[in-house]
Amino acid sequence: MTYLLVAIAVLVAGGALLFGAMFRRDNARLGLPALAVLIAANVLAMVHAAYDQ
């Protein structure tokens, strides 16, 4: 479970960094990958919640 939590934290940090780079550079092409990374983190968080019960 620890590896799953670390993976979720890394994905959330990566998505936040991509969104930050998108707004700083005014480059909308980084928005969709950032959203995809955050959705992947959300899916892993749901998997973690399912295993936790």
Side-chain angles (χ1 to χ4, degrees):
M1 297 307 278
T2 305
Y3 296 117
L4 190 57
L5 286 175
V6 170
I8 292 168
V10 167
L11 285 175
V12 168
L17 286 173
L18 279 172
F19 268 127
M22 179 187 74
F23 287 119
R24 185 175 50 230
R25 295 179 187 171
D26 198 21
N27 188 355
R29 289 182 290 170
L30 294 175
L32 195 57
L35 187 60
V37 168
L38 291 176
I39 289 172
N42 192 12
V43 169
L44 285 179
M46 288 187 283
V47 168
H48 180 267
Y51 278 142
D52 198 28
Q53 289 183 355

